[in-house]
Amino acid sequence: MNNNINAQDFKELIERYLDGKTTLEEVKLLVNYYESFQQENKWVEELGPEDIIKNRMLINILEALQQDESKEVNKIPLYKRKTFQYSVAASIALFFVFNFIYNKSNNAISEPISEPVTVNNNIPIGTHKATLTLEDGTNIALEKGRQYISDNVESNGKDLIYKSPSKPRPEIAFNYLTVPRGGQYHVKLSDGTEVWLNSESKLKYPTIFLDGETREVDLIYGEAYFDVSPSTDHNGSKFKVLSGVQEVEVLGTGFNIKAYKDETYIYTTLVEGKITVDNSSSAQILKPNQQAVLNKENKDIIISKIDVYSEIAWKKGLFSFKDKPLKDIMKVLSRWYDVDVVFEDKAIEDVHFKGVLSKNQNIEEILTLIKNTKYIHAYDIENNTILLRN
């Protein structure tokens, strides 16, 4: 093994990553450490038991980091959090990090994991599924393993691809793509713009765009990541995204909008390029690694520098939580696993956690990780409802 690479360095980098303090160079180094350990087959003696280290979550996370090529990760709080008796953040897990770093670094003794109370637990992991609504109102179920083909659009069960027409149609037809709880979907619009829709989201868009005219779509609710085809490829046509009281105008860029119906704020995060966020009374320009938070009630906009990676980790198949209260974490999980969550004691809603988790794991694995922090003592699962107890 390279003498410059050791387990202690690896652990320290993981801790810096969890705290949102890693630079782009350190993220690359983290991946290099992983590759070196893997190639030299030194995981067991250097980092711990093989059945903990070599798991799918670890590989998913490090591969996602490897693809994250243009970001310098910095954590700057969007707002000062409410002081609370459980305000100290509890690490839930970055793959094996909870057991390996939290327990070892704090000289804690690992305790056996008690069996959870489970009643009729048939909660599936989220998957690719959506409903396509055509101009005439016809609904088409899109899901993994099912193909759909028509004149100008086709789906392989995971992606919905619109073709660019050879001749413009005189009238514009609109389609809707609705992703339910427990689903996600990717659509490529006729101009080449790509949109990834998260769980419980709905997008309205034209089946074709006319060059020279503004390209406009409507994120009716939910969360979506946009990779916009440049205006230079469409005779200068700008691209606009409507989302309730907010309008975002772009020339060609990548950004994320989160505008759920049950949330007070609309979060717009710029990954690259430049966009303008308009609340009808003023317009704010965003730079990369900035986020605009719009209050839907008073329309105020606050712009802050944030950790872009955490905001778009969902698109890469991950949950990334940086100092988030448990109530917000469970809201995210409820959408992906299509469950309802009930807190027996409201006090535990404001316990803060940090960690990165794979979206491909069973909900009970995540609940067990949270339970092992000792902030909740048990959980019950009955049908599609999870009860958290302390």
Side-chain angles (χ1 to χ4, degrees):
M1 182 180 291
N2 188 327
N3 291 331
N4 294 324
I5 297 175
N6 57 68
Q8 185 59 37
D9 290 340
F10 188 69
K11 288 185 289 182
E12 289 177 359
L13 270 183
I14 291 172
E15 289 188 276
R16 283 179 55 77
Y17 173 77
L18 277 173
D19 289 332
K21 297 178 180 178
T22 45
T23 64
L24 175 59
E25 289 71 23
E26 288 174 323
V27 169
K28 290 179 180 177
L29 189 58
L30 179 59
V31 175
N32 288 339
Y33 277 13
Y34 159 64
E35 291 175 346
S36 178
F37 281 128
Q38 188 181 48
Q39 290 169 6
E40 304 258 353
N41 197 27
K42 296 288 186 177
W43 286 99
V44 178
E45 63 235 56
E46 293 287 348
L47 296 178
E50 186 172 11
D51 60 343
I52 294 177
I53 303 302
K54 286 188 175 181
N55 57 66
R56 191 63 243 175
M57 276 195 294
L58 170 60
I59 295 171
N60 283 349
I61 291 165
L62 288 170
E63 285 179 350
L65 287 175
Q66 198 168 22
Q67 296 170 8
D68 194 28
E69 299 175 345
S70 62
K71 294 91 179 172
E72 178 174 334
V73 183
N74 293 300
K75 178 183 174 185
I76 297 180
L78 182 64
Y79 52 85
K80 186 175 181 180
R81 72 179 180 199
K82 177 183 176 182
T83 302
F84 188 71
Q85 59 177 329
Y86 296 122
S87 61
V88 178
S91 299
I92 55 175
L94 169 56
F95 33 93
F96 60 94
V97 171
F98 176 77
N99 287 324
F100 189 70
I101 290 182
Y102 182 87
N103 287 340
K104 299 292 186 182
S105 298
N106 294 281
N107 297 317
I109 298 175
S110 297
E111 298 182 7
I113 298 174
S114 59
E115 290 296 320
V117 178
T118 306
V119 180
N120 190 27
N121 176 23
N122 295 310
I123 298 174
I125 297 171
T127 187
H128 298 283
K129 59 182 176 181
T131 298
L132 172 64
T133 303
L134 304 179
E135 177 75 6
D136 62 3
T138 301
N139 289 321
I140 299 165
L142 306 175
E143 58 188 41
K144 193 174 181 179
R146 177 182 293 185
Q147 210 174 31
Y148 168 74
I149 299 176
S150 72
D151 292 339
N152 69 323
V153 62
E154 62 181 61
S155 172
N156 59 6
K158 179 180 177 182
D159 310 285
L160 185 65
I161 310 295
Y162 284 82
K163 303 171 186 177
S164 181
S166 54
K167 294 182 180 180
R169 292 170 52 182
E171 71 283 341
I172 304 296
F174 288 90
N175 284 179
Y176 294 81
L177 189 63
T178 306
V179 179
R181 294 195 346 161
Q184 63 183 16
Y185 222 80
H186 166 254
V187 56
K188 186 174 183 179
L189 304 179
S190 65
D191 67 336
T193 293
E194 296 186 73
V195 186
W196 288 261
L197 287 171
N198 206 347
S199 304
E200 200 173 10
S201 302
K202 187 172 186 177
L203 182 72
K204 176 186 177 182
Y205 53 90
T207 56
I208 62 170
F209 294 99
L210 301 178
D211 279 355
E213 296 185 11
T214 298
R215 297 168 287 159
E216 187 173 287
V217 301
D218 188 354
L219 179 60
I220 297 175
Y221 58 79
E223 182 171 19
Y225 181 87
F226 295 84
D227 187 355
V228 178
S229 179
S231 60
T232 51
D233 293 346
H234 305 282
N235 294 329
S237 297
K238 295 180 180 180
F239 193 96
K240 288 186 178 181
V241 181
L242 306 180
S243 50
V245 297
Q246 174 182 283
E247 179 180 293
V248 172
E249 181 178 303
V250 305
L251 296 177
T253 189
F255 60 99
N256 193 83
I257 298 179
K258 183 166 66 172
Y260 282 104
K261 293 182 291 186
D262 59 351
E263 295 186 4
T264 307
Y265 301 94
I266 298 175
Y267 301 86
T268 304
T269 305
L270 182 60
V271 177
E272 58 183 347
K274 188 166 80 171
I275 62 176
T276 299
V277 179
D278 194 330
N279 64 356
S280 76
S281 60
S282 65
Q284 304 277 357
I285 296 176
L286 284 191
K287 297 177 182 178
N289 300 315
Q290 287 187 333
Q291 182 182 73
V293 181
L294 185 148
N295 187 317
K296 290 191 284 189
E297 296 175 355
N298 59 25
K299 298 186 179 180
D300 286 347
I301 298 177
I302 297 175
I303 296 179
S304 300
K305 189 174 181 181
I306 50 89
D307 172 12
V308 167
Y309 178 79
S310 289
E311 294 297 316
I312 64 171
W314 66 268
K315 176 175 165 282
K316 296 176 180 290
L318 303 171
F319 300 114
S320 181
F321 303 116
K322 295 287 182 73
D323 194 25
K324 293 289 186 182
L326 187 56
K327 61 182 176 183
D328 290 351
I329 292 173
M330 296 312 298
K331 184 178 289 186
V332 171
L333 297 180
S334 70
R335 292 181 182 128
W336 180 239
Y337 293 98
D338 190 14
V339 296
D340 295 319
V341 179
V342 178
F343 288 85
E344 185 179 65
D345 184 351
K346 295 294 183 182
I348 62 175
E349 292 184 353
D350 290 314
V351 179
H352 284 67
F353 293 84
K354 62 180 177 181
V356 180
L357 302 162
S358 170
K359 292 174 69 176
N360 291 324
Q361 65 189 126
N362 190 284
I363 183 66
E364 280 199 43
E365 295 176 31
I366 298 177
L367 293 173
T368 300
L369 286 170
I370 296 173
K371 177 177 175 288
N372 286 346
T373 65
K374 310 304 180 187
Y375 284 104
I376 68 169
H377 293 150
Y379 63 84
D380 299 333
I381 301 176
E382 186 170 3
N383 297 321
N384 273 39
T385 300
I386 297 171
L387 173 66
L388 300 182
R389 299 189 279 114
N390 64 354

